[in-house]
Amino acid sequence: VHTYVVENVNRYLKGASLPKVIDEFVKGDWVASLQLALLKDGSKSANWKKMLKLTETLIWCFGSRSTVEMKSLYNFLMTLLNGIRNSLYAINHDEERLTATVASIEAELIRVMKGESLELRQCSPIEVGIAIVDDGMSEVPIDSLRFVNELAVGDWLMLKKEEDQVQFAKLAVIISGKGCYIFVNRFGMRLLEINKHDLAIEHNDKKIFNVEK
């Protein structure tokens, strides 16, 4: 799933230049949301195709635009922003973060429409399976840290809830820049979003177990 999403997003990033905030958004929360959509709806779904179109359109907005194209950008600005907001599945549980993210995208798009000079950077492709930096992890037992480092998208875990109750969860998304792990159930619905540190602690406390393959 991760590889498929990255390959699709990289097609739109190739040769593009974006403001830092947009580049980081596309490679972070947006890629995570695309992965959740793909798991839930599949690559043939209208929702998946709509999100790819939103990806293409957002990146297109920061290219060289004619006067006519700038007017059309103004006309569909709110449609674009609403589409992005409604598709941010990776953070839609956090209203404050969701609102701030969309506001930062809107601010950059308004600058484009006003013809302001933007500081753009050449987009590098997203790497598949990029490692997460271990900042702040020194207090975590090495065995649990190794367990987390070896997790890959698609792995199944058992989550211990209360006493003998367990729940199976699939690792659907790793947001590498933020050290965030998102787990879903067999229907693709999100069960857990947890950072790397807390995931390692949960493993050390024997609340999370690997499912033998």
Side-chain angles (χ1 to χ4, degrees):
V1 172
H2 175 68
T3 300
Y4 185 76
V5 169
V6 166
E7 287 175 349
N8 275 275
V9 174
N10 278 342
R11 286 194 294 112
Y12 300 120
L13 289 176
K14 186 176 181 179
S17 294
L18 296 171
K20 179 181 178 181
V21 65
I22 302 298
D23 187 36
E24 292 179 347
F25 163 73
V26 170
K27 295 175 180 177
D29 290 334
W30 189 244
V31 163
S33 297
L34 281 165
Q35 290 182 76
L36 289 172
L38 183 60
L39 280 167
K40 182 176 182 293
D41 301 320
S43 61
K44 304 296 184 182
S45 67
N47 187 45
W48 169 253
K49 293 174 182 177
K50 179 198 73 176
M51 290 182 69
L52 286 184
K53 187 63 178 178
L54 287 169
T55 308
E56 179 184 23
T57 303
L58 178 62
I59 294 172
W60 171 87
C61 288
F62 295 93
S64 300
R65 305 272 72 85
S66 67
T67 303
V68 174
E69 288 174 325
M70 290 297 288
K71 289 181 179 179
S72 67
L73 172 58
Y74 177 81
N75 291 333
F76 69 67
L77 174 61
M78 293 313 300
T79 300
L80 174 61
L81 289 172
N82 286 334
I84 290 173
R85 183 185 183 94
N86 293 335
S87 301
L88 275 171
Y89 307 118
I91 61 172
N92 63 5
H93 62 289
D94 187 338
E95 183 64 29
E96 183 176 347
R97 179 177 167 189
L98 179 63
T99 299
T101 297
V102 175
S104 66
I105 297 170
E106 180 179 15
E108 294 298 320
L109 288 170
I110 288 176
R111 291 184 64 192
V112 171
M113 290 189 301
K114 289 182 176 179
E116 296 181 11
S117 177
L118 298 176
E119 185 175 341
L120 304 176
R121 65 183 189 184
Q122 186 73 30
C123 296
S124 58
I126 305 170
E127 295 182 41
V128 177
I130 188 169
I132 300 174
V133 178
D134 293 337
D135 293 343
M137 300 294 290
S138 57
E139 73 278 18
V140 178
I142 187 64
D143 288 343
S144 292
L145 180 57
R146 184 181 299 113
F147 168 82
V148 175
N149 283 337
E150 291 177 353
L151 287 176
V153 170
D155 284 350
W156 284 89
L157 303 181
M158 287 189 297
L159 312 180
K160 186 175 181 180
K161 302 187 72 176
E162 296 179 4
E163 297 181 352
D164 295 330
Q165 293 184 358
V166 296
Q167 192 168 29
F168 290 93
K170 180 180 180 180
L171 179 55
V173 178
I174 300 175
I175 307 178
S176 54
K178 299 177 181 178
C180 179
Y181 293 68
I182 299 176
F183 292 87
V184 300
N185 63 18
R186 62 192 182 92
F187 300 109
M189 304 300 292
R190 181 171 50 223
L191 290 177
L192 175 68
E193 178 176 338
I194 189 170
N195 63 45
K196 184 176 185 180
H197 174 274
D198 291 346
L199 183 58
I201 293 297
E202 290 283 286
H203 177 262
N204 184 62
D205 291 343
K206 301 188 185 305
K207 294 181 180 178
I208 291 180
F209 304 88
N210 200 14
V211 176
E212 293 297 330
K213 299 178 181 179

